[in-house]
C-alpha cells in the first residue's frame, strides 16, 4: 500500500480505538457510559466470553460508523473503499 493509504488506515484505527477509550474513561469517572457500552460496563456476572462478545458488538456496531464519519468524507469512503475493507477484514 502507498503511504497515503497507510495514513488513512492509521487515522481510522486511532479514531476507532478512541471511542472505546472514551467509553472506558467516562465509566471510570462517572460509573455510567453511553448506550453503546452500557450493557458491557453495567451488567455484572458476565462470563469472559460474554464480555468479549458484548465488547465486539458495541465496538463494531456502535463505534465503527462514528470512526468512519470522523476519518473520511463520503467521497473519500467511495473512492477509498479498498483500504476501508482492508481495515474491516483485519478487525
Amino acid at each position: 500500500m502507498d503511504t497515503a493509504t497507510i495514513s488513512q488506515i492509521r487515522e481510522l484505527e486511532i479514531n476507532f480505538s478512541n471511542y472505546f477509550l472514551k467509553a472506558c474513561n467516562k465509566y471510570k469517572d462517572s460509573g455510567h457510559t453511553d448506550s453503546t457500552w452500557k450493557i458491557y460496563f453495567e451488567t455484572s456476572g458476565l462470563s469472559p466470553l460474554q464480555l468479549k462478545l458484548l465488547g465486539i458488538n458495541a465496538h463494531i456496531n456502535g463505534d465503527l460508523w462514528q470512526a468512519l464519519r470522523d476519518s473520511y468524507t463520503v467521497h473519500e469512503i467511495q473512492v477509498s473503499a479498498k483500504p476501508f475493507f482492508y481495515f474491516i477484514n483485519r478487525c
Side-chain angles (χ1 to χ4, degrees):
M1 283 187 274
D2 61 63
T3 351
T5 301
I6 292 170
S7 179
Q8 285 180 322
I9 291 172
R10 293 289 174 251
E11 182 176 354
L12 179 58
E13 288 174 333
I14 290 167
N15 286 330
F16 191 46
S17 62
N18 279 339
Y19 277 96
F20 173 68
L21 296 174
K22 286 176 191 175
C24 290
N25 288 331
K26 186 174 181 181
Y27 184 73
K28 185 182 98 185
D29 293 343
S30 69
H32 300 287
T33 192
D34 60 45
S35 61
T36 299
W37 288 95
K38 185 176 179 63
I39 292 172
Y40 180 85
F41 284 111
E42 297 181 14
T43 305
S44 60
L46 297 174
S47 72
L49 178 59
Q50 288 173 314
L51 284 170
K52 286 177 188 171
L53 293 173
L54 284 172
I56 290 167
N57 182 61
H59 203 41
I60 291 175
N61 292 323
D63 297 341
L64 184 57
W65 71 268
Q66 295 177 93
L68 283 167
R69 178 202 59 206
D70 296 347
S71 302
Y72 301 106
T73 65
V74 172
H75 178 72
E76 287 172 325
I77 291 172
Q78 292 167 339
V79 171
S80 302
K82 189 175 179 180
F84 166 70
F85 288 111
Y86 174 79
F87 171 80
I88 295 300
N89 289 328
R90 287 183 35 199
C91 289

